[in-house]
Amino acid sequence: MNVKNICCLGAGYVGGPTMAVIAQQCPHINVTVVDVNATRIAAWNDADLDKLPVFEPGLDNVVGEARGRNLFFSTDVDQAIDEADMIFISVNTPTKTYGKGKGMAADLKYIELCARQIASVSKTNKIVVEKSTLPVRTASAIKNILDHTGNGVEFQILSNPEFLAEGTAVDDLLAPDRVLIGGDTSDKGQEAIQALVDVYAHWVPKERILTTNVWSSELSKLTANAFLAQRVSSINSMSALCEKTGADVNEVAKAIGLDSRIGSKFLKSSVGFGGSCFQKDILNLVYIAKTYGLNEVADYWEQVIIMNDYQKNRFSNNIVSTLYNTVSGKKITFLGWAFKKDTNDTRESAAIQVADNLLNEQAHIAVYDPKVTEERIYADLDYLNTRAEEENRSLLNVKNDPYEACKDSHAIAVLTEWDEFKTYDWQAIYDNMLKPAFVFDGRGILDIKSLENIGFVCYSIGKGFNK
Ligand code: NAD
Ligand code: UDX
């Protein structure tokens, strides 16, 4: 089957960039990305490419090339479904905040709504592709909905999880380590798989396109994120031990990473992992394991989250104890709010938890992040519901200038590894701070020796003080 019209439900961090790259690489396929959020769609259509709703290096060029040619953003979901041969579902699958599985299971209400809408609108056969990260066996639920409320239309369900990381989304999409496609083992299932393989084969080498059964594909996505997050929690657990023993976590990471069986990537100790995926997907995995009675499996993976929470709290506790056991009324500057560099995404960012802990201690916080808006930062804090919204606004201020943010503060905490932090005039920053002037580098990116020469008292994650 030759795919001519693709539609994608969900114009978020995954749907937008993924479809933009498909459209750029396959000019003969019409790609329409739809969303129920009209503001988001308007931003995707903004003539000013700096105003796209997702910031990703290189994305403006990809969208600029394909938009209006064969890439369209729209709120007309029904029309896009009707015209498509292949429909990607790329809507959000957050952790449930109510009912059974609250705080653990994935909330599949948006997925189900999509399936029902596809079923009611479709008049021709469609291939439905799960792009969202889903619990293993979700495809059977989607198939049930499609088969029982459809108009006699035939649907094939594929699983095609997305492995892009934010901040490098365009590069990851253009040169993926692998593309994974899971489908039914029947002839029609295999035909559907081939149709999607043919789309990717326009730019991805064939040997990197892996096909499996649906369940393996669904479970591989959760497994990949669990393994990646586990590496970060493993090195972060060692960071605490390094600080007690005089070992340096970067040296330990290098020493073990040179073992080709371990590998060097994803061993950067930090203030804790964030992002919309790791915590959500591990909680989901833990929940699935429990529903099958696999309690030891569940407990094993839950430790990855427990260690991550420990790391975030350890960082804020260390700030309080270092500042003579009180930060009440003291100004502390946060450099960075995003969950990692090169993105404006703040979901589950370690900065949020660290800020909340320090605000509980009555600290005054000034935040500077090159890409995150003031509105977003307050929304992140308000969402926690720890204190009144007015209190969040009076205790925490957002600055557009890093030097202004650092002025008159007792301590600077680096929460995100933005490259620009390394290039600042740290002498000027020091001169305008209260003394002793502390730096808590939660990302291990600053040149601690030169900061100490200026006069700063420096803590670096996994090294501690003065090493
Ligand atoms: P997102 O919240 O940025 O975007 C989801 C979009 O779907 C929203 O704009 C929302 O309005 C829209 N939506 C919800 N219901 C809809 C409906 N019925 N019809 C049309 N649009 C609808 O989420 P995201 O970060 O793009 O993640 C989407 C999925 O991809 C999740 O399952 C996530 O786990 C997975 N994923 C995310 C990443 C990542 O880096 N963010 C990476 C890999 C996989
Ligand atoms: C992750 C997966 O990498 C990606 O494959 C999946 O599709 C979505 O989830 P993402 O969350 O965008 O991607 O970013 P990632 O680079 O994985 O970083 C996640 C968090 O871990 C960030 O907060 C990052 O700062 C932290 N991290 C990562 C570390 O603290 N140390 C590391 O060595 C690597």
Side-chain angles (χ1 to χ4, degrees):
M1 177 196 171
N2 225 343
V3 175
K4 293 196 186 67
N5 288 300
I6 286 179
C7 133
C8 174
L9 308 184
Y13 281 87
V14 168
T18 310
M19 292 303 127
V21 167
I22 290 182
Q24 187 206 35
Q25 298 298 320
C26 307
H28 59 289
I29 300 179
N30 275 324
V31 181
T32 307
V33 194
V34 290
D35 204 294
V36 287
N37 182 336
T39 318
R40 217 166 200 187
I41 289 297
W44 280 113
N45 282 322
D46 202 305
D48 182 354
L49 289 167
D50 282 342
K51 298 214 173 107
L52 297 182
V54 171
F55 169 73
E56 280 292 338
L59 182 61
D60 47 355
N61 289 334
V62 178
V63 172
E65 185 183 330
R67 199 177 57 187
R69 178 188 72 187
N70 64 325
L71 173 66
F72 307 95
F73 295 93
S74 161
T75 49
D76 194 340
V77 181
D78 282 357
Q79 191 189 343
I81 291 174
D82 184 33
E83 290 172 356
D85 332 292
M86 182 176 270
I87 303 168
F88 286 80
I89 302 181
S90 188
V91 300
N92 36 329
T93 50
T95 305
K96 258 185 108 175
T97 53
Y98 55 90
K100 194 161 172 264
K102 177 179 172 180
M104 301 286 284
D107 191 341
L108 298 180
K109 70 178 168 201
Y110 306 107
I111 295 286
E112 178 163 344
L113 279 172
C114 289
R116 288 188 186 278
Q117 195 162 2
I118 294 169
S120 74
V121 171
S122 297
K123 297 194 281 287
T124 52
N125 295 350
K126 317 267 182 208
I127 297 172
V128 175
V129 185
E130 299 174 346
K131 183 53 99 177
S132 297
T133 302
L134 296 170
V136 56
R137 298 206 70 85
T138 304
S140 74
I142 295 181
K143 181 125 185 67
N144 258 323
I145 292 168
L146 292 175
D147 284 349
H148 286 95
T149 56
N151 315 326
V153 169
E154 275 187 34
F155 294 100
Q156 278 299 323
I157 322 290
L158 299 179
S159 160
N160 172 222
E162 185 48 60
F163 294 99
L164 68 80
E166 289 180 28
T168 52
V170 174
D171 288 347
D172 293 344
L173 287 165
L174 287 174
D177 285 347
R178 80 311 207 178
V179 166
L180 179 59
I181 302 172
D184 203 89
T185 46
S186 65
D187 286 350
K188 287 197 169 154
Q190 295 301 305
E191 270 171 38
I193 290 180
Q194 193 54 45
L196 186 53
V197 168
D198 291 343
V199 171
Y200 282 109
H202 281 101
W203 77 98
V204 179
K206 284 236 162 73
E207 61 279 10
R208 294 202 173 193
I209 305 177
L210 191 69
T211 60
T212 64
N213 77 33
V214 191
W215 321 126
S216 304
S217 173
E218 287 179 336
L219 188 56
S220 295
K221 175 63 197 175
L222 294 181
T223 310
N225 274 351
F227 271 59
L228 289 168
Q230 181 200 44
R231 278 176 76 93
V232 179
S233 275
S234 296
I235 199 70
N236 280 344
S237 74
M238 290 303 158
S239 75
L241 196 53
C242 285
E243 289 171 29
K244 295 281 183 207
T245 56
D248 174 336
V249 76
N250 293 333
E251 292 179 353
V252 172
K254 187 167 183 193
I256 64 166
L258 285 171
D259 184 326
S260 60
R261 293 168 302 175
I262 295 176
S264 61
K265 292 185 182 158
F266 254 72
L267 288 179
K268 182 81 189 131
S269 178
S270 66
V271 55
F273 62 72
S276 63
C277 293
F278 282 176
Q279 172 159 312
K280 160 177 85 74
D281 292 347
I282 292 178
L283 288 172
N284 185 6
L285 190 66
V286 169
Y287 183 75
I288 294 168
K290 279 192 180 152
T291 58
Y292 287 109
L294 303 173
N295 292 330
E296 286 77 6
V297 177
D299 291 347
Y300 176 78
W301 287 107
E302 196 164 15
Q303 278 301 321
V304 174
I305 306 276
I306 293 171
M307 182 52 61
N308 197 48
D309 288 338
Y310 164 76
Q311 187 76 344
K312 291 184 269 189
N313 294 333
R314 191 169 81 78
F315 189 75
S316 52
N317 287 341
N318 181 33
I319 293 178
V320 177
S321 63
T322 305
L323 296 185
Y324 317 107
N325 287 318
T326 175
V327 290
S328 178
K330 290 182 181 168
K331 179 175 173 183
I332 297 172
T333 303
F334 277 28
L335 292 181
W337 189 268
F339 81 97
K340 62 186 278 197
K341 74 173 180 179
D342 293 339
T343 178
N344 60 346
D345 195 349
T346 65
R347 289 177 287 180
E348 303 296 339
S349 178
I352 303 170
Q353 186 61 48
V354 173
D356 195 49
N357 292 347
L358 293 173
L359 293 176
N360 281 342
E361 296 291 331
Q362 301 177 345
H364 290 190
I365 299 180
V367 182
Y368 167 77
D369 186 288
K371 285 286 172 203
V372 181
T373 61
E374 175 171 337
E375 194 188 359
R376 181 70 260 154
I377 292 172
Y378 285 133
D380 288 339
L381 277 177
D382 293 344
Y383 183 76
L384 298 178
N385 243 329
T386 315
R387 64 192 69 72
E389 295 187 2
E390 305 75 61
E391 212 181 331
N392 282 332
R393 278 148 193 78
S394 79
L395 289 175
L396 183 143
N397 288 294
V398 181
K399 302 283 180 194
N400 292 324
D401 174 56
Y403 295 93
E404 183 63 27
C406 294
K407 194 164 180 286
D408 295 329
S409 70
H410 287 259
I412 294 171
V414 177
L415 276 304
T416 313
E417 73 281 23
W418 286 102
D419 289 333
E420 67 170 63
F421 299 162
K422 295 185 250 182
T423 66
Y424 290 169
D425 179 349
W426 283 95
Q427 181 69 54
I429 290 175
Y430 179 79
D431 292 343
N432 282 326
M433 283 177 67
L434 298 179
K435 308 296 173 335
F438 292 93
V439 167
F440 296 86
D441 185 355
R443 294 290 187 162
I445 56 161
L446 298 177
D447 179 352
I448 298 297
K449 275 218 170 71
S450 65
L451 292 184
E452 282 173 349
N453 286 340
I454 291 171
F456 283 104
V457 182
C458 298
Y459 161 89
S460 186
I461 198 92
K463 289 187 187 179
F465 290 96
N466 295 325
K467 259 172 249 146

